[in-house]
Amino acid sequence: MDIPSAARWLLLAAAAAQFVYAVRALRPALRSRPGERVDPWLAFADPAVGVPVSLALAFGNLPALLTGLAVLGPILTWQLVRSVTARRGKPGKPTPA
């Protein structure tokens, strides 16, 4: 892959921003209680796995990019599933107006 220099710098900046978001999301994930552990850990895992994906794309490392996307795919899918089910509400409970 041939990545232009400007795009490479933008991807490196995106990786740095994702690293900051991952560090900020780590403390709530570590403090989460047993019943509410999934959402904080998903909030941490998304940017934490996004950092190597962005770096692999910036440096044109296709095997690392595909590996990172294989890990990031289920994380993003699970976040989507949780957000959709949270909007629907739980069965038997009325949705708040």
Side-chain angles (χ1 to χ4, degrees), residues 8 15 19 22 35 43 58 65 73 77 85:
R8 181 168 298 167
F19 180 75
L65 175 67
T77 303
T85 56

Side-chain angles (χ1 to χ4, degrees), residues 9-22 47 50-56 58:
W9 283 105
L10 288 173
L11 287 168
L12 290 174
Q18 287 176 331
F19 180 75
V20 170
Y21 284 127
V51 170
V53 169
S54 297
L55 291 175

Side-chain angles (χ1 to χ4, degrees), residues 2-97:
D2 187 29
I3 305 293
S5 180
R8 181 168 298 167
W9 283 105
L10 288 173
L11 287 168
L12 290 174
Q18 287 176 331
F19 180 75
V20 170
Y21 284 127
V23 169
R24 289 180 62 192
L26 182 60
R27 183 170 288 162
L30 290 173
R31 285 193 212 161
S32 62
R33 295 187 179 146
E36 55 191 39
R37 286 186 186 234
V38 175
D39 288 329
W41 280 106
L42 285 174
F44 165 72
D46 181 12
V49 175
V51 170
V53 169
S54 297
L55 291 175
L57 187 58
F59 292 114
N61 190 345
L62 187 61
L65 175 67
L66 293 176
T67 303
L69 289 175
V71 174
L72 190 59
I75 293 170
L76 294 177
T77 303
W78 194 244
Q79 281 181 332
L80 178 66
V81 166
R82 294 209 30 110
S83 68
V84 167
T85 56
R87 286 186 193 151
R88 282 191 188 162
K90 295 185 180 178
K93 290 187 177 180
T95 54

